[in-house]
Amino acid sequence: MSPVTEVLSRIQDIQATIAQLRAGTTGAATSATATAASATSATAFADALAGTSGTGATATSASVDAVAGSVASGSGADGSDVVESAKKYLGVPYVFGGEDRTGMDCSGLVQTVFKDLGVSMPRVVPDQAKMGAEVSSLAEAKPGDLLVPKGEGHIVIYLGDGKVLHAPRPGKDVQIVDNWYKDSDLSTIRRIVPAEGGTGAAPASAASSALSGLSGLSGLSGLSGAAGAAGASSSGTDLMTAALQKLMSAGVAS
């Protein structure tokens, strides 16, 4: 599910809570319940947009699907996280069809590395080779990108500085070696998640874009302005909190 879809879903939940508050409570009880609802909704709202706050693989535990034709930013992971996740499996023996620490093949390794980061990848190389955004050449490749040779019978994780990490063949372990591929050898280079640092400037801009598209919904007047003002803060979570507070004040003040 995309961040914008999650936002819409959360907004609907919040509006339903507001309606219940209006219908079922009055006076001090209403005020206390609304305060509790605001705190609960703030947490849910932040969770829904966790993929746009902060950087690194720990930004969210939610799983997102890899996307054919573009990078998947919803997990919060970037290329450096892919590299670190892959290095955890160094020394695991090659086992055809394997996808855990008892043994892995090349595509099983790739699937498991991204699964650890909250990104769901297909299981076999030809399908993995369709995921993410295509990178034009090795000169443009960044750590965490996937190199797929012609014939799509193998897949490796590019580490940068001319190194790759892969599960080679029976009798070998997951290892780091010099990249032996040339551009002419490759079927495609795929970027599944943003390159290192690619998510650093995203929280405010991505959240503002998502929220500005909701400004026409009932009870959301002025929400985009709140998002813009909060964008000056250093935290994507602050942006979400400020926007939610604006939403709640607009919805319950009547």
Side-chain angles (χ1 to χ4, degrees), residues 78-164:
D78 64 17
S80 65
D81 298 311
V82 175
V83 171
E84 292 308 308
S85 178
K87 286 180 177 178
K88 294 187 303 184
Y89 297 104
L90 288 171
V92 171
Y94 180 98
V95 173
F96 181 76
E99 50 192 44
D100 59 34
R101 290 188 177 277
T102 64
M104 295 177 168
D105 60 14
C106 61
S107 56
L109 170 64
V110 166
Q111 185 186 53
T112 301
V113 165
F114 281 96
K115 181 180 179 180
D116 290 347
L117 299 175
V119 180
S120 178
M121 282 282 283
R123 178 60 181 84
V124 296
V125 175
D127 292 334
Q128 292 176 350
K130 297 180 178 70
M131 296 296 104
E134 185 163 27
V135 176
S136 60
S137 68
L138 285 168
E140 300 299 320
K142 301 294 184 183
D145 291 349
L146 303 178
L147 311 184
V148 183
K150 291 177 179 177
E152 299 184 351
H154 194 49
I155 190 166
V156 307
I157 300 171
Y158 184 65
L159 304 183
D161 297 324
K163 302 289 185 180
V164 297

Side-chain angles (χ1 to χ4, degrees), residues 129-232:
K130 297 180 178 70
M131 296 296 104
E134 185 163 27
V135 176
S136 60
S137 68
L138 285 168
E140 300 299 320
K142 301 294 184 183
D145 291 349
L146 303 178
L147 311 184
V148 183
K150 291 177 179 177
E152 299 184 351
H154 194 49
I155 190 166
V156 307
I157 300 171
Y158 184 65
L159 304 183
D161 297 324
K163 302 289 185 180
V164 297
L165 185 150
H166 70 146
R169 61 181 185 276
K172 296 289 186 178
D173 297 338
V174 174
Q175 58 187 252
I176 296 173
V177 297
D178 291 333
N179 175 39
W180 66 99
Y181 291 124
K182 304 185 295 292
D183 283 317
S184 58
D185 299 323
L186 297 174
S187 169
T188 188
I189 303 172
R190 312 303 296 189
R191 183 164 299 157
I192 308 301
V193 296
E196 181 177 6
T199 57
S205 60
S208 296
S209 297
L211 292 169
S212 64
L214 305 176
S215 59
L217 295 178
S218 175
L220 297 185
S221 176
L223 184 57
S224 297

Side-chain angles (χ1 to χ4, degrees), residues 20-71:
Q20 291 173 356
L21 291 173
R22 284 175 173 170
T25 59
T26 59
T30 299
S31 177
T33 306
T35 301
S38 296
T40 301
S41 298
T43 300
F45 195 80
D47 289 344
L49 291 180
T52 62
S53 63
T55 60
T58 59
T60 178
S61 59
S63 178
V64 300
D65 291 334
V67 182
S70 63
V71 298

